[in-house]
Amino acid sequence: MTTYYPTVNKVEFEGRTSTNPFAYRYYNPDQVVLGKTMKEHLPFAIAYWHTMIQDGTDPFGGVTNKRTWFGNSEIETAKNRVEAFFEILSKLQVSYFCFHDVDIAPQGNSLEEFFNNLDVITDLIKEKMDETGIKCLWNTANMFSHARFNNGAASSNNAEVFALAAAQVKKGLDIAKKLNAENYVFWGGREGYETLLNTDLAFEQDNIARLFKMAISYGEEIGHKPQFLIEPKPKEPSKHQYDFDAATTMAFIQKYGLEGDFKLNLEANHATLAGHTFEHELCVARSYNALGSIDANQGDLLLGWDTDEFPTNVYDVTLAMYEILENGGLGKGGINFDSKVRRSSHEMEDLLLAHIAGIDTFARGLLNAAKIKEESFLSDIKEERYATYKTGIGRSILEGKEDLKSLTEYALEHDDVELASSHIEYVKSLLNDYIYSDHSNTIKVQPIRK
Amino acid sequence: MTTYYPTVNKVEFEGRTSTNPFAYRYYNPDQVVLGKTMKEHLPFAIAYWHTMIQDGTDPFGGVTNKRTWFGNSEIETAKNRVEAFFEILSKLQVSYFCFHDVDIAPQGNSLEEFFNNLDVITDLIKEKMDETGIKCLWNTANMFSHARFNNGAASSNNAEVFALAAAQVKKGLDIAKKLNAENYVFWGGREGYETLLNTDLAFEQDNIARLFKMAISYGEEIGHKPQFLIEPKPKEPSKHQYDFDAATTMAFIQKYGLEGDFKLNLEANHATLAGHTFEHELCVARSYNALGSIDANQGDLLLGWDTDEFPTNVYDVTLAMYEILENGGLGKGGINFDSKVRRSSHEMEDLLLAHIAGIDTFARGLLNAAKIKEESFLSDIKEERYATYKTGIGRSILEGKEDLKSLTEYALEHDDVELASSHIEYVKSLLNDYIYSDHSNTIKVQPIRK
Amino acid sequence: MTTYYPTVNKVEFEGRTSTNPFAYRYYNPDQVVLGKTMKEHLPFAIAYWHTMIQDGTDPFGGVTNKRTWFGNSEIETAKNRVEAFFEILSKLQVSYFCFHDVDIAPQGNSLEEFFNNLDVITDLIKEKMDETGIKCLWNTANMFSHARFNNGAASSNNAEVFALAAAQVKKGLDIAKKLNAENYVFWGGREGYETLLNTDLAFEQDNIARLFKMAISYGEEIGHKPQFLIEPKPKEPSKHQYDFDAATTMAFIQKYGLEGDFKLNLEANHATLAGHTFEHELCVARSYNALGSIDANQGDLLLGWDTDEFPTNVYDVTLAMYEILENGGLGKGGINFDSKVRRSSHEMEDLLLAHIAGIDTFARGLLNAAKIKEESFLSDIKEERYATYKTGIGRSILEGKEDLKSLTEYALEHDDVELASSHIEYVKSLLNDYIYSDHSNTIKVQPIRK
Amino acid sequence: MTTYYPTVNKVEFEGRTSTNPFAYRYYNPDQVVLGKTMKEHLPFAIAYWHTMIQDGTDPFGGVTNKRTWFGNSEIETAKNRVEAFFEILSKLQVSYFCFHDVDIAPQGNSLEEFFNNLDVITDLIKEKMDETGIKCLWNTANMFSHARFNNGAASSNNAEVFALAAAQVKKGLDIAKKLNAENYVFWGGREGYETLLNTDLAFEQDNIARLFKMAISYGEEIGHKPQFLIEPKPKEPSKHQYDFDAATTMAFIQKYGLEGDFKLNLEANHATLAGHTFEHELCVARSYNALGSIDANQGDLLLGWDTDEFPTNVYDVTLAMYEILENGGLGKGGINFDSKVRRSSHEMEDLLLAHIAGIDTFARGLLNAAKIKEESFLSDIKEERYATYKTGIGRSILEGKEDLKSLTEYALEHDDVELASSHIEYVKSLLNDYIYSDHSNTIKVQPIRK
């Protein structure tokens, strides 16, 4: 049997003192945290595009990545990639994967040929799934790379492009059924505009909603309606993308009555490009009961484009995992590494090393967030901070018993309110003990002597 | 009678060749454009806070503005300001004004005292309104400057602050009725958070909606329900403001079922701080039928804070006015100069000169936008660009006759679609003729010879 | 003779009322402005890479541009491109061009093969130059696209890469001599870092200076020392580029004593990516007597990457041209369109239309700037603003006659200084008359009545 | 004796398990790290302006901070502040302080009165210094808040303002001598421009250099020439500040030949506002031998203004401390907390708690950086990465033995170089062990098996 990593064994948990680069130092799949195993808390997925396709090119430079799966034909390469992909998944003990249609199979010279190629490769993938028990977290159709999608897919000015997009979505749903994917993602990289001068924004969004409703119907028809996920991103490649961020996407979902079927797939780097922290986006989604799944990576806040770095920022991941714990987990969703190795990490081994780094970072984040939760560190702060809403006038407001007149009466007699200090610097210093340590000695907020 | 500008007469239209700094060169109130007078197209308003209160301080420096209305007591100064304000409005021929409660009257030592002061001053304002025919476009309550609003007003963690906010809103609606203001604005400068660590985002937004619903009820009760407007701004003074931008606010409005009563008051500088062009925000609002009113100013895209400059960018204002024309005007709304003189423009005269600059800029923008509309310059481009949706498969999609299966069949036989070039550089060059000229010779898009 | 634009004739000036898309409406090469022809003021150059090579790909999408010069081999395509390029230059009446080595010739399988290909193609280019009178403004070596330059060229951690870079520079200077290019450009897209964690910043900059000094020596040796130009850019593709902006590059130039031989090639889009206006960068370069040449384009301030759009913003170009006029022109430098057609402008014709748009924009900018200069609009403002330095204490300071003690004595008796208002809103409004009109009626600043 | 913190004792090191909010958990002044005590490594200073003056106002809100030192007159308040300040310094065990002239004394009605007030208060400060052994790290003149400095101080368009600035600098140097301050800082918050339209950038910078040279001369004259420090900041309050960042300031320093006497005072938040990491700015300063002192704080990369938060980001501080260790410490400089409590931390206690948070963060950062240095974690990576420069062609390049011709010969025979992978994700994962842990088990980079 072919192996692409002959010298690397299955990556196992070896603990913090291991000096083996191909071991987990924090991720221990079977370790129980807050009543569930790490493996249950962290349904990791690997992204086909970054891991199998990405070659290191950037807008100013050519291929750098060295890959050993190129064959004598496109289809042979595609098949080799499936082998290699499942080897990587298996060796990393990752249970899920995600892909675009164009990642896995050559597009050929016609749509028909493309669909045939998809059938061939998904047969092979299904075989590997059965063999390994690895599952498909979600699939999607790439409706942004082909020249025809230059002005959008569902939002294209050209109706024929809409039809072509619809065909790819249908095929995507057929594949979702075949591979039993529980989610189906829409990322609208070209569903936006280059310039408003020639764009009918409302018409284009109507059309996107049309396609989404067709997808819901078709899912119902074939008896496999996955959880649909929209992945917001503010800009890039388009000047503006309609699914700018979580809140924008919720405005769209509500406008078109898609709440029942659509949730959000949120990405850390997309959050920061939109001017938000990742935990903010997660929190907004939660407030709409729409947190579906996440794309794990990190950006560089000093850069204005999507860098899709492997997540190694333990601090940020801790706060994200805290939101996920508060959400009761991700339901059908998972944690997909939409991350690519830096251009200088061009060896085959880097694909493993980078995922190990990301997985250990999430394991650390989970452990930190669990500790914060276990000790009610943040929840106690909030409990106290909003205490005035539990009794008296606060309670009465929440119970709907007040109006502007009654509150004015109250206010005229109580206009000397003083807010308590947040002691936020102290809180952040204590929070550091949960994040920058081994948890042997975390400390809860102490009352400040007066 | 007191005058604050003894040497300046009423500012009149004198045409492009006038060398009088205190004349309009473009704004001719009675000039008819697309069937309406300029005055009807451009319902200008002056903002009390920037014009009467702003003193030139910034986070690193003290007062620079020289103002002649300071009296021997706060209330005397407040009265002088009313005189001066109506002189400015009258001399500039501006028909509307906007204000926060705290702008016009001293807050005194209690809420009661504040409300009494408001009564005194609004009596005076009403007198001046009757005298001059000038109207109140909108008023609002400042629920962000007082220390008590540090953590928000309706979204404060402290229920007593909610009550105090409610009292100010009630008073604001009473004043709106008294002054017959057709709009009432909410800008939530502190309705957001400093840190998510101690914030219950969903709870806080529920509370904001509670206050908004009380306001609707109270308006109905007193028989003066103005058009309520939310003014989005992404951040500053808070780290994050809930009404981040137009789309975010529409998500909120829909979530809480406020569509009937709430529209948006959009500001140019807030748009760019959120990562959008102003025309984008206007267009988004239009797509939700929620364009209420605008705050006219401009920001500096290389700076990360709200500079509230007087609008002098004719290009940007043209595109904004085009959206407003497409919207059929602003309805009950208007064009409020939420603009302040630069710190170096500290003379009394600068208040007039700056408004003249802004008004002439909007007059130019209107003339340009009207020409674009009259000649169907942009609408023809869109018409042609979306032509495939008028017949055949496009029409069938819009009529709801297609589904994923039928479209797949279609696509398999039509997978060779090619998009037409947008010739966008050519379009932009022609657009320049509408904006950077006197319109003697604008040129429509010509077909490109092949 | 082959033609790539059979239906387009030489693009001529036809005036503002022309409806011919392939005509200049503003650029009239022979029109005299401030004593020089437009052609002399505006030494336009076309960039080989954007016009001949760019295919429409972006990080999320494939080829869109339709080009008719592809032949049966790389070398044939390369030759066809030379033909097409000179046809474009000639038809557009553009007198200069710029290129990277890799733009014009296939790299082959070895450095030797690459150099041979360069010889073949530069022979052909020289032939076309002689035939048409068109000149090479500058050439450069692409030392950022090849995988070997991943960590930099002169600043690479690998000494062999330094040697390869040196070889390309030598060949570049040989070509500069052969084609009589008056300038030679260094753009260090990879001369920077991905992360400081593994970078020796000081060592890397020393090495860059080493290469630059070798280039100076070699230029002297072969008797063709062009004006060397460094092109600053803050980031992209690297996380940080050493030549961040004009000032940073001047720090480097001074540190290594390169002032005599090196000037700056400044680009509009790079300026804004660094947080500056283009006119700022030009002005900084002027203050160091180092304004060498410019790359004409425009960015989108709401996007965080280099969009290299064709310049159509007349306002910005006016301010840039004003700086260039103040500099007495660009000397040996020129105005190189480092601009690419938008992805949706994928037809062959768009290459012409886009350059026409850019050229007309610069013609407008020149006319506006010349009018501002002719009427001393801005210079009068400055003259008055700094007037206190012409006499008394101001003059004495400039003459070096004062010290802290004498000035303290003066200040203690003159501590009541008041600044004059800048009336900046009024100034901007008048400036609009120079930019947004046909100059029939521009108006100088009028004194404000007191 | 008056005390402002009657219930708080001297803040002592109590170790990581302490639950006392008024204790250090990491900062142990006497603990020896890399051969020096923590106290020596970390010459902390407290900033008078943030700690004693800042009142919680922001551009949209009023005073929030509760302070107990207000007396019946300005001068009494000023004296109380000195008492309180030294109590804070003493209780926090901080050995240095920094101040602007206007922080410590009322400006009165004339320059003379201001100078007299400065004499009174500096007498008191000197007394407290003698009593406590606490030292002045640096002082500076505030030449940006007064209305007269609206257009700059040394760079003002008005020569009388230059004289007034000179007088403040003279007084500042007299005070520096009196208090034996080893550094003197220039921060040019208004040394920049609001608009280039009315600005002579080169003239203004010449004038700044004139003032700096006068300062050097005067320091020599009075026998107390402190180390002069320029503090870069890109923008805010000005649209552009001349001392944009470290590199820009080095360009200025070199242009005017100030290298001997001027170094840089670098601030974390100013670095990020300029688009850089703090460690980048420190590294650039080091490369020019110009790292003078630091202003410790942190910004919010999602906000576009100076937030001056207390530093609690252990990761960033570790990388900054690593640069400082590489620099051999800060020499005469120190670590000044240019940090202010958040608006919601408005209690007196928060001033202590926030400094404790910042100090513990730096202690952690020092411990982490020392561990990285001790184990050669990063230096080994660099050592290996640049290894090709130690022998062969690399060594020959460094020794100046090569030129473009010799290198071309070499390159033609060695054009197949391949770069080693950076394994940067693996490196970052290991780095986390140095930062997010208690250092019981950090792991050096292991060779990757091939």
Side-chain angles (χ1 to χ4, degrees), chain B residues 284-330:
Chain B
V284 167
R286 290 211 295 122
S287 80
Y288 283 94
N289 190 27
L291 175 50
S293 197
I294 71 166
D295 268 16
N297 61 22
Q298 69 186 23
D300 183 325
L301 275 79
L302 295 173
L303 301 181
W305 64 91
D306 208 8
T307 63
D308 281 350
E309 300 174 38
F310 274 89
T312 54
N313 187 316
V314 176
Y315 195 99
D316 291 352
V317 169
T318 298
L319 297 182
M321 281 309 305
Y322 184 75
E323 286 294 330
I324 290 170
L325 291 179
E326 287 288 283
N327 196 55
L330 289 168

Side-chain angles (χ1 to χ4, degrees), chain C residues 111 157 159-160 193 198 200 204 221 235 240 251 254-255 275 280 287 385-386 388 405 408 410 415, chain D residues 111 157 159-160 170 193 198 200 204 221 235 240 251 254-255 275 280 287 385-386 388 405 408 410 415:
Chain C
L111 195 62
N157 61 308
E160 308 226 331
Y193 57 78
N198 61 20
D200 186 337
E204 293 198 354
E221 189 181 332
K235 28 190 97 173
H240 175 86
Q254 292 176 97
K255 184 179 184 191
H280 169 84
S287 79
R385 197 162 173 265
Y386 294 96
T388 55
K405 284 193 294 186
T408 298
Y410 183 90
D415 61 355
Chain D
L111 196 60
N157 61 308
E160 308 226 332
K170 177 182 172 295
Y193 58 78
N198 61 21
D200 187 337
E204 295 197 353
E221 190 181 330
K235 28 190 96 172
H240 176 87
Q254 291 176 98
K255 184 179 183 188
H280 170 84
S287 79
R385 198 162 173 265
Y386 293 96
T388 55
K405 284 194 294 187
T408 297
Y410 183 91
D415 61 354

Side-chain angles (χ1 to χ4, degrees), chain D residues 25-72:
Chain D
R25 300 200 308 284
Y26 290 86
Y27 179 59
N28 185 355
D30 303 321
Q31 183 178 335
V32 175
V33 178
L34 294 178
K36 291 200 292 186
T37 63
M38 271 204 182
K39 189 173 169 156
E40 289 167 315
H41 276 295
L42 301 169
F44 292 125
I46 298 186
Y48 214 97
W49 55 101
H50 281 317
T51 296
M52 306 315 296
I53 307 297
Q54 202 246 119
D55 57 10
T57 52
D58 70 17
F60 296 85
V63 174
T64 53
N65 290 346
K66 288 163 198 152
R67 299 295 178 251
T68 54
W69 44 65
F70 286 94
N72 292 317

Side-chain angles (χ1 to χ4, degrees), chain B residues 375-393:
Chain B
E375 299 194 359
S376 314
F377 174 64
L378 293 176
S379 51
D380 281 1
I381 290 171
K382 291 185 197 175
E383 193 77 6
E384 191 187 324
R385 196 161 173 267
Y386 294 95
T388 56
Y389 275 99
K390 286 201 205 109
T391 57
I393 191 71

Side-chain angles (χ1 to χ4, degrees), chain A residues 143-328:
Chain A
M143 309 194 296
F144 49 89
S145 294
H146 196 285
R148 70 168 69 108
F149 296 125
N150 199 1
N151 303 339
S155 74
S156 175
N157 62 309
N158 190 308
E160 307 226 331
V161 174
F162 186 102
L164 284 151
Q168 272 184 258
V169 171
K170 177 182 172 295
K171 189 68 183 175
L173 291 172
D174 291 338
I175 290 172
K177 182 176 180 180
K178 178 174 177 178
L179 304 184
N180 199 28
E182 289 207 88
N183 304 276
Y184 184 87
V185 164
F186 289 99
W187 174 61
R190 307 271 179 201
E191 313 291 23
Y193 57 78
E194 183 175 277
T195 169
L196 265 181
L197 294 176
N198 62 20
T199 299
D200 187 336
L201 177 144
F203 177 78
E204 293 198 355
Q205 294 196 50
D206 287 350
N207 277 352
I208 296 172
R210 275 188 184 95
L211 182 66
F212 286 179
K213 287 179 180 171
M214 290 181 190
I216 294 171
S217 297
Y218 185 70
E220 285 164 354
E221 189 181 332
I222 62 172
H224 181 80
K225 195 173 73 169
Q227 177 176 275
F228 290 103
L229 300 172
I230 299 177
E231 180 171 330
K233 186 180 179 185
K235 29 190 94 171
E236 196 205 25
S238 301
K239 187 249 184 308
H240 175 88
Q241 273 137 245
Y242 295 134
D243 305 322
F244 196 82
D245 59 10
T248 301
T249 309
M250 289 317 302
F252 173 88
I253 284 175
Q254 291 176 98
K255 184 179 184 189
Y256 294 101
L258 302 168
E259 294 95 330
D261 297 295
F262 277 73
K263 290 194 168 182
L264 303 178
N265 183 41
L266 295 170
E267 175 177 324
N269 202 158
H270 294 177
T272 52
L273 287 172
H276 311 302
T277 60
F278 190 32
E279 60 266 26
H280 168 84
E281 287 291 89
L282 296 170
C283 189
V284 167
R286 288 211 295 122
S287 79
Y288 283 94
N289 190 27
L291 175 48
S293 197
I294 72 166
D295 267 14
N297 61 22
Q298 69 186 23
D300 183 326
L301 275 80
L302 295 173
L303 301 182
W305 64 91
D306 208 10
T307 63
D308 282 350
E309 299 173 39
F310 273 89
T312 55
N313 187 316
V314 177
Y315 196 98
D316 291 352
V317 170
T318 298
L319 296 182
M321 281 309 305
Y322 184 75
E323 286 294 329
I324 290 170
L325 290 179
E326 287 288 283
N327 197 56

Side-chain angles (χ1 to χ4, degrees), chain D residues 167-302:
Chain D
Q168 272 184 260
V169 171
K170 177 182 172 295
K171 189 70 184 174
L173 292 172
D174 291 337
I175 291 172
K177 182 175 181 182
K178 179 174 177 180
L179 303 184
N180 200 27
E182 289 206 88
N183 304 276
Y184 185 87
V185 164
F186 288 98
W187 174 61
R190 307 272 178 201
E191 313 292 22
Y193 58 78
E194 183 175 278
T195 169
L196 264 182
L197 293 176
N198 61 21
T199 300
D200 187 337
L201 177 144
F203 177 78
E204 295 197 353
Q205 295 196 50
D206 286 350
N207 277 352
I208 296 171
R210 276 189 183 94
L211 183 65
F212 287 0
K213 287 180 179 170
M214 289 181 191
I216 294 171
S217 297
Y218 186 70
E220 285 165 354
E221 190 181 330
I222 61 172
H224 181 82
K225 195 172 73 169
Q227 178 176 275
F228 290 103
L229 300 172
I230 299 177
E231 180 171 331
K233 185 180 180 186
K235 28 190 96 172
E236 195 203 24
S238 301
K239 186 250 185 309
H240 176 87
Q241 274 138 244
Y242 295 134
D243 304 322
F244 197 82
D245 59 9
T248 301
T249 309
M250 290 316 304
F252 172 87
I253 284 176
Q254 291 176 98
K255 184 179 183 188
Y256 295 100
L258 303 167
E259 292 96 331
D261 297 295
F262 277 74
K263 290 193 169 183
L264 303 178
N265 183 41
L266 296 170
E267 175 177 325
N269 202 159
H270 293 178
T272 52
L273 287 171
H276 311 300
T277 59
F278 189 32
E279 62 267 25
H280 170 84
E281 288 290 88
L282 296 171
C283 189
V284 167
R286 288 211 296 121
S287 79
Y288 284 93
N289 190 28
L291 176 48
S293 197
I294 71 165
D295 267 15
N297 61 21
Q298 69 186 26
D300 183 326
L301 275 79
L302 295 173

Side-chain angles (χ1 to χ4, degrees), chain B residues 417-429:
Chain B
V417 58
E418 291 212 351
L419 302 174
S421 168
S422 68
H423 300 314
I424 191 63
E425 293 82 6
Y426 176 51
V427 169
K428 286 186 180 173
S429 185

Side-chain angles (χ1 to χ4, degrees), chain A residues 160 204 221 386 405 410, chain B residues 160 204 221 386 405 410:
Chain A
E160 307 226 331
E204 293 198 355
E221 189 181 332
Y386 293 94
K405 285 193 295 187
Y410 182 90
Chain B
E160 307 227 332
E204 294 199 354
E221 189 181 332
Y386 294 95
K405 285 194 294 187
Y410 182 89

